[in-house]
Amino acid sequence: MRARALLQDIFGYDSFRGDQEAIINHVAMGGHALVLMPTGGGKSLCYQIPALLRPGVAVVVSPLIALMKDQVDALLQLGLRAAFINSSLSLEDLRLTEQQIRRGDLDLIYVAPERLMTEAFLSFLDEIPLGLFAIDEAHCVSQWGHDFRPEYIQLGTLAERFPQIPRIALTATADDLTRQEILDKLHLQTARVFISSFDRPNIHYSVVSKQQSKQQFLDFYLSNYKGQAGIVYCLSRKSVEDMAMWLNDQDIKALPYHAGLDNTSRAKHQERFLREDLIMVATVAFGMGIDKPDVRFVAHLDLPKSLEAYYQETGRAGRDGLASHAFMSYGLGDVVQLSRMLAESTAPDHIKRIESQKLDALLGYCETVLCRRQVILGYFGQAYEGPCGNCDNCLNPPETWDGTVAAQKILSCIYRTGQRFGAGHVIDVLLGKENQRIKQLGHDSLSTYGIGKDLKEQSWRSVVRQLLAGGYLNSDADSFGALKLTAKSSAVLKGQEKLNFRQEVAKKSKESQPKLSSSLPTQEDLSAEDLEVFEVLRQLRLDLAKEQKVPPYVIFHDSTLRQMAMRRPQDLTSFAKVSGVGKQKLERYAPHFLKALQPFAKNPEALTELPLKELPLKELPSNPTLNPPKAKIPTLNSSINLTRSLLFEGLKPDEVAQERGLSLNTIMGHCAELILRGEYELEEAVQLRDAEVASIIHQFEARSDEESHRLKPVFEALDGRYSYEVLRCVEAFWKRAKLEARG
């Protein structure tokens, strides 16, 4: 019950999702756990709430120093006692933080594995009460994983040094091999394993045949997510730089990120990405631990190294649960390049074999005609019936050919060769090749020898990959990648199931390329009115975030703002019921957001005086759409005063916006406030003829008894000729005239 109370009071959610409650109770009672939960599924709560329930400080192992501050900032916004220790701290700050830990003033401390495993830090932990160890991004322990960090292997020492302290390892993605390695290397053999569904139903998956990848991406972006945040992955540093430069040439804000940049540039670009809606063009050096919830798309313009890496990287989109997209362009050149890199690798042969199998699984995903979600979940051992209705194969089925006979041929050949060989040897037998190995094994005398000459080797490899993707074959890592039949293959061999494979098509011209949907499925569609409110709330959130120097999502996620826009709460009680609003954020932000929502009240007659107090924040910007109460003009806050000073110096509103780094919408809101107070002239804010002003005021007068609190009816009545910023200023001028008329 205490866990549920904390969930509601601090985090603002009414109920747990999936296994969250079971995990929290298990760890809070002192148990060890391995948690596999998709990105955005709520992994952090699985250690944050136990940290509050257990005595002592919780030590959170986080692999990226650059993100620790944002993680801690998010907890501080919730009113939790959290800090980080890393190389960015001065000696004085480090000393103060350690004193806080000794006094028991902190609930959570974030630390990188390199610092944690130093003898000095471990000795420090020996002297203080510990609540738990949380090992985030636990897949970094896997030597054949996509984010291997050698420092993670040392974390197994925690089991020996602190045997009584519960440890929870968390990751968003791990296949069977990686799971076992996490358990072994971190000495978690006795831990409970919690595996949530790997499905991300809000993500739309699509793969296109690579032709002009830059233009393909541009068409996708402009059709679906123009002006929104996203990540574009490229394989090389040069392609990252080229793509970022090309996007900026198209007037699209984009930044490069790769290991070749200096630390300062990488940190600066990452910080801008977290705080702005822009595109980050990156190698896989970027992304792990990124907590930005409103990434609307992840695009791979080159193949990732494995399906596991692909799933991990695409999981950075749509953490807020809203509609998002995983876009990938795939070409033969990618396969050649990755195969060459693998061949030139200095890794041991058994690691190379595993990586080769992982690449085959990814290629099978690219080439499959099945529901893509079905293939992804199948790779992680989860059954999915499908079709999902939210991937390209489901919405636009590809051209196929009847591959039943081809499948029977290769399945028979695999069986007759003893299910002991990889794809290369089996295909050689099918093609009737005369090499020494085939003759030594006697495979030239098999009935399947030479029966596959009707297809080329490349086509047979595609057949194998699609059979693997469909679950008709397994590739056994312990047997050097030997292909083995599964229970599903029986029906195909008996002629009881027909199989279709993706048709290899010639390259098409740009004009004949299939167009991507511009109306992707959404989880919560906003009406036009709701969207207007949502944008006002987003701007207010951005201004508050700039004032506090934190990412906007740390204040409220988009999903929370969407609920506000639809419900439009008008008092503290209803505001507190919005998902994602806990006690601390209610006290800290309700006054500002309730004021922003007042002009959009669905039932304005029911409005009462709101018990709102000013926030203890410096120079908070006013809400750009705030219409003051009729009977009283409030005292200006410091942000509007600063705008007034700049206006009085002769700057125009757009120049003030540029000078202050705020949006023009916000500055025009300040202008409206000043016009209402009689401290700024309407003609200084907007360039309108007297007749135009009179026409707009006439529309406000016509609605003075019913809808004067709404700008949208006036906007529509005037056929959208005037922006909302202009209408707000004229409305302020009109209200000022009415106040003066009443004396």
Side-chain angles (χ1 to χ4, degrees):
M1 294 298 292
R2 288 185 60 205
R4 284 181 175 269
L6 290 172
L7 178 73
Q8 189 164 34
D9 291 347
I10 294 177
F11 299 95
Y13 300 115
D14 292 330
S15 60
F16 288 107
R17 287 187 286 170
D19 291 332
Q20 279 181 328
E21 189 166 21
I23 296 166
I24 288 167
N25 290 335
H26 177 68
V27 176
M29 293 298 291
H32 305 307
L34 170 59
V35 175
L36 282 81
M37 189 178 288
T39 304
K43 292 191 301 299
S44 298
L45 285 178
C46 295
Y47 63 81
Q48 289 169 351
I49 292 182
L52 302 177
L53 293 172
R54 292 182 57 81
V57 66
V59 179
V60 183
V61 182
S62 180
L64 295 176
I65 290 175
L67 295 174
M68 286 185 192
K69 183 180 183 301
D70 290 329
Q71 292 168 323
V72 169
D73 280 342
L75 294 176
L76 295 177
Q77 290 280 333
L78 295 168
L80 299 183
R81 305 182 306 169
F84 58 83
I85 290 181
N86 61 39
S87 57
S88 70
L89 295 181
S90 65
L91 287 177
E92 178 64 16
D93 288 337
L94 176 60
R95 185 181 63 82
L96 292 174
T97 303
E98 289 180 345
Q99 287 177 355
Q100 286 182 295
I101 297 172
R102 291 185 188 277
R103 291 196 305 265
D105 292 343
L106 294 177
D107 299 311
L108 297 104
I109 181 74
Y110 284 74
V111 62
E114 296 88 342
R115 179 177 290 267
L116 173 61
M117 297 314 299
T118 62
E119 183 56 36
F121 197 80
L122 290 172
S123 297
F124 171 70
L125 295 183
D126 284 333
E127 302 171 4
I128 62 173
L130 295 173
L132 61 89
F133 288 103
I135 302 168
D136 204 6
E137 309 289 354
H139 63 274
C140 292
V141 79
S142 175
Q143 287 182 280
W144 47 65
H146 50 283
D147 283 324
F148 175 57
R149 292 281 294 271
E151 303 84 8
Y152 263 67
I153 295 178
Q154 302 173 31
L155 296 175
T157 304
L158 297 176
E160 303 164 5
R161 188 146 181 169
F162 306 98
Q164 304 305 316
I165 306 301
R167 287 168 293 122
I168 175 173
L170 309 101
T171 181
T173 172
D175 59 13
D176 290 336
L177 285 170
T178 304
R179 291 174 208 169
Q180 191 57 52
E181 193 169 12
I182 292 172
L183 294 172
D184 292 341
K185 296 290 177 59
L186 298 182
H187 299 172
L188 286 169
Q189 290 86 349
T190 61
R192 280 188 63 182
V193 179
F194 296 88
I195 302 177
S196 301
S197 172
F198 286 92
D199 190 17
R200 298 288 306 280
N202 61 310
I203 294 184
H204 176 96
Y205 296 97
S206 67
V207 180
V208 299
S209 176
K210 180 183 289 190
Q211 293 170 39
Q212 294 176 324
S213 58
K214 288 181 179 177
Q215 189 62 47
Q216 284 175 311
F217 169 75
L218 183 63
D219 293 342
F220 156 78
Y221 170 74
L222 294 178
S223 298
N224 297 287
Y225 297 110
K226 184 179 180 181
Q228 300 189 64
I231 303 172
V232 174
Y233 283 113
C234 301
L235 193 58
S236 69
R237 298 176 186 181
K238 184 179 185 304
S239 55
V240 164
E241 293 283 356
D242 289 347
M243 185 65 185
M245 186 180 299
W246 186 79
L247 286 174
N248 281 293
D249 288 343
Q250 313 304 311
D251 293 324
I252 296 171
K253 191 159 53 174
L255 295 172
Y257 190 103
H258 55 73
L261 293 174
D262 61 84
N263 292 338
T264 301
S265 296
R266 286 205 306 273
K268 181 180 178 181
H269 290 187
Q270 181 165 278
E271 184 175 353
R272 283 191 59 190
F273 177 73
L274 292 173
R275 286 157 172 74
E276 301 176 33
D277 288 335
L278 54 79
I279 295 175
M280 183 69 89
V281 186
T283 61
V284 292
F286 175 79
M288 184 172 58
I290 288 296
D291 200 31
K292 185 177 173 72
D294 58 348
V295 175
R296 292 274 66 89
F297 64 87
V298 170
H300 285 85
L301 302 193
D302 297 311
L303 274 181
K305 293 183 179 180
S306 67
L307 195 55
E308 190 177 6
Y310 172 76
Y311 176 83
Q312 174 85 355
E313 289 154 15
T314 57
R316 288 156 192 159
R319 291 174 56 99
D320 53 11
L322 303 179
S324 306
H325 203 127
F327 171 89
M328 179 162 61
S329 60
Y330 153 73
L332 183 60
D334 296 329
V335 182
V336 173
Q337 186 174 6
L338 285 174
S339 298
R340 178 183 55 77
M341 290 170 62
L342 184 60
E344 295 174 355
S345 169
T346 58
D349 288 344
H350 73 282
I351 297 293
K352 286 187 177 182
R353 283 194 295 272
I354 291 170
E355 292 298 332
S356 179
Q357 291 166 41
K358 287 177 179 285
L359 178 57
D360 277 344
L362 176 66
L363 298 178
Y365 167 81
C366 294
E367 297 170 356
T368 188
V369 298
L370 303 174
C371 164
R372 296 204 186 277
R373 189 164 268 100
Q374 188 176 16
V375 174
I376 290 173
L377 297 182
Y379 178 78
F380 291 106
Q382 293 186 351
Y384 185 86
E385 291 298 326
C388 71
N390 197 21
C391 73
D392 56 347
N393 282 353
C394 288
L395 296 174
N396 300 292
E399 296 180 29
T400 62
W401 59 281
D402 186 345
T404 307
V405 173
Q408 289 171 335
K409 288 180 179 179
I410 198 159
L411 291 173
S412 296
C413 194
I414 291 168
Y415 178 78
R416 294 184 184 281
T417 54
Q419 302 184 73
R420 297 186 296 113
F421 300 92
H425 180 77
V426 174
I427 292 171
D428 283 351
V429 173
L430 282 174
L431 293 174
K433 289 191 177 180
E434 298 179 0
N435 60 46
Q436 188 175 1
R437 191 180 187 208
I438 288 177
K439 291 179 179 179
Q440 285 178 342
L441 294 169
H443 290 170
D444 54 346
S445 62
L446 296 176
S447 59
T448 53
Y449 179 74
I451 64 170
K453 293 181 179 180
D454 54 323
L455 294 179
K456 295 181 179 179
E457 180 177 349
Q458 181 181 340
S459 298
W460 277 119
R461 289 192 176 275
S462 177
V463 168
V464 170
R465 289 193 289 261
Q466 293 187 60
L467 287 171
L468 285 165
Y472 299 93
L473 287 175
N474 278 333
S475 183
D476 189 350
D478 293 332
S479 300
F480 304 98
L483 298 176
K484 296 183 182 296
L485 308 186
T486 68
K488 286 184 68 174
S489 62
S490 176
V492 178
L493 285 167
K494 293 176 181 177
Q496 297 170 349
E497 182 179 354
K498 179 180 177 180
L499 290 183
N500 290 318
F501 294 131
R502 182 179 288 269
Q503 180 70 53
E504 296 180 32
V505 294
K507 287 189 176 182
K508 300 178 181 180
S509 66
K510 179 183 174 184
E511 290 72 21
S512 62
Q513 281 288 328
K515 292 186 177 180
L516 294 164
S517 169
S518 59
S519 56
L520 300 174
T522 58
Q523 195 175 57
E524 296 176 316
D525 286 317
L526 295 179
S527 67
E529 293 182 6
D530 292 341
L531 187 59
E532 176 191 346
V533 182
F534 175 69
E535 291 302 328
V536 168
L537 297 178
R538 283 187 78 218
Q539 186 59 53
L540 171 59
R541 180 186 63 177
L542 179 61
D543 290 339
L544 289 169
K546 284 182 177 179
E547 296 287 342
Q548 299 180 70
K549 295 181 171 58
V550 297
Y553 65 80
V554 164
I555 295 175
F556 287 122
H557 284 194
D558 275 4
S559 53
T560 299
L561 296 189
R562 289 168 74 91
Q563 285 191 38
M564 290 183 198
M566 290 186 290
R567 298 183 187 180
R568 299 180 208 169
Q570 295 296 314
D571 54 49
L572 293 173
T573 301
S574 56
F575 192 85
K577 293 179 180 178
V578 175
S579 181
V581 179
K583 284 185 177 179
Q584 182 77 10
K585 290 191 176 182
L586 178 68
E587 179 180 346
R588 190 176 181 87
Y589 295 118
H592 290 282
F593 283 88
L594 285 173
K595 283 184 179 180
L597 289 163
Q598 276 184 348
F600 303 98
K602 292 186 177 180
N603 185 15
E605 291 78 10
L607 284 178
T608 57
E609 185 70 22
L610 296 173
L612 304 178
K613 66 179 182 179
E614 291 301 318
L615 299 183
L617 298 175
K618 296 179 180 179
E619 293 190 10
L620 281 177
S622 73
N623 177 15
T625 61
L626 175 59
N627 293 320
K630 296 177 183 177
K632 180 181 178 182
I633 299 179
T635 303
L636 290 179
N637 67 28
S638 54
S639 186
I640 301 180
N641 274 325
L642 180 55
T643 294
R644 179 175 59 180
S645 299
L646 293 171
L647 290 171
F648 287 179
E649 289 176 10
L651 272 67
K652 299 296 183 184
D654 59 337
E655 295 171 332
V656 174
Q658 185 173 3
E659 175 73 19
R660 297 202 56 196
L662 297 175
S663 69
L664 180 59
N665 183 42
T666 296
I667 300 303
M668 291 297 285
H670 294 180
C671 291
E673 291 275 8
L674 295 169
I675 292 169
L676 181 66
R677 300 171 64 89
E679 298 183 19
Y680 194 53
E681 298 299 328
L682 177 63
E683 55 265 31
E684 294 290 334
V686 296
Q687 302 299 311
L688 295 174
R689 299 190 305 273
D690 290 347
E692 291 179 298
V693 174
S695 174
I696 296 171
I697 289 177
H698 174 71
Q699 295 297 332
F700 282 118
E701 291 283 2
R703 292 164 176 78
S704 60
D705 295 332
E706 44 187 273
E707 293 184 300
S708 63
H709 62 288
R710 299 297 306 281
L711 296 176
K712 187 174 178 61
V714 175
F715 178 83
E716 292 178 342
L718 295 167
D719 298 323
R721 293 194 300 275
Y722 306 102
S723 69
Y724 281 103
E725 290 85 354
V726 169
L727 295 181
R728 287 187 190 106
C729 289
V730 176
E731 182 186 34
F733 175 80
W734 169 62
K735 286 187 174 182
R736 179 67 190 175
K738 290 177 68 175
L739 286 171
E740 291 175 347
R742 289 203 297 263

